[in-house]
Amino acid sequence: MGCQRDIAARIIAKKADYILALKSNQGSLREDVETFANEQKTRDFVDSQISCHETIDADHGRLETRKYTVFHNVEWLQARHNWPALRGVIMVESQREFRDKVERETRYYITSTTLPAERSGPMIRDHWAIENALHWVLDMTFRDDQRRIRTENAPSNFTTLIHMAANLFRKAPGKDSLRMRRHTAAWDDDYLVSLIAA
């Protein structure tokens, strides 16, 4: 969590805003946000200043509904955790329906913005689209999900190297796929040097 706090502080120092996902390993901040959001939802948000936005997408037989709820009065959370420029909490409730299967997921975010849900919701969705695209590239091109590196800092270090390689392949001129560029780099030393020297 210290790392995210530092990131938030640096973003604020540059006079920008952040929307940061709260993960389960973030201790009492995540717990406080989840408890608060669930309690307010149960009470129909009577004690909160909120804005809401809902999107429904249907694609290839899949129906996905996302409900974004932004809590605008979070002074109590800021007083408790002293987070850089914290001004809001966002709850995203997703429901995916595909054939006879229904999946539900709730994610939480903290933000320095005061934007209403209809504006902050699309920002979160765009971020997830980028993350999903990156994951797809890493999995399909580098077989990321099949990697068996587990010792100490090795997984984090290897992931950094993979991201660097993916960025080098993306910047390379030409119309070959990333997978083809990876194969070419493995077999052609001159091509590999051209990627690194570019």
Side-chain angles (χ1 to χ4, degrees):
M1 190 168 67
C3 181
Q4 273 206 320
R5 185 185 290 274
D6 292 343
I7 291 169
R10 278 184 288 193
I11 291 170
I12 294 302
K14 291 182 182 287
K15 301 193 180 342
D17 284 305
Y18 63 80
I19 299 176
L20 296 173
L22 287 176
K23 307 266 171 79
S24 57
N25 64 353
Q26 291 172 313
S28 60
L29 176 62
R30 160 72 191 227
E31 291 170 10
D32 286 350
V33 166
E34 187 172 359
T35 300
F36 168 73
N38 288 333
E39 177 187 280
Q40 290 304 306
K41 183 179 176 182
T42 301
R43 294 169 50 81
D44 204 23
F45 306 108
V46 294
D47 300 323
S48 294
Q49 297 168 13
I50 64 165
S51 59
C52 296
H53 179 63
E54 186 171 280
T55 62
I56 300 173
D57 295 305
D59 188 25
H60 302 294
R62 183 191 310 259
L63 180 68
E64 183 159 6
T65 305
R66 293 181 192 88
K67 183 173 182 183
Y68 303 89
T69 304
V70 179
F71 297 88
H72 298 285
N73 56 329
V74 294
E75 295 81 7
W76 65 273
L77 189 64
Q78 175 66 330
R80 184 174 168 99
H81 292 277
N82 193 27
W83 198 269
L86 177 64
R87 292 193 182 91
V89 165
I90 305 169
M91 176 173 64
V92 182
E93 299 168 282
S94 301
Q95 178 174 293
R96 295 175 200 87
E97 299 174 47
F98 184 65
R99 296 181 183 148
D100 297 330
K101 191 175 178 183
V102 177
E103 296 176 351
R104 292 181 180 85
E105 180 183 17
T106 303
R107 298 186 304 272
Y108 302 94
Y109 300 80
I110 54 173
T111 182
S112 61
T113 74
T114 56
L115 295 174
E118 59 266 23
R119 295 206 38 215
S120 55
M123 291 178 182
I124 291 171
R125 185 169 177 195
D126 289 346
H127 173 77
W128 272 96
I130 293 167
E131 289 264 321
N132 288 339
L134 176 61
H135 178 76
W136 187 87
V137 166
L138 293 178
D139 189 32
M140 297 307 294
T141 305
F142 295 97
R143 300 293 180 214
D144 194 49
D145 287 344
Q146 296 175 19
R147 199 176 322 130
R148 295 294 174 255
I149 300 171
R150 302 276 185 264
T151 310
E152 296 178 355
N153 294 325
S156 176
N157 293 340
F158 199 78
T159 296
T160 300
L161 292 173
I162 292 296
H163 284 216
M164 290 169 63
N167 288 333
L168 289 174
F169 291 137
R170 271 197 201 93
K171 287 173 54 179
K175 296 184 179 180
D176 289 338
S177 68
L178 291 184
R179 181 180 288 181
M180 180 58 70
R181 293 176 192 191
R182 178 178 171 232
H183 287 302
T184 304
W187 291 104
D188 185 340
D189 289 343
D190 291 335
Y191 180 70
L192 177 61
V193 170
S194 75
L195 290 174
I196 297 170

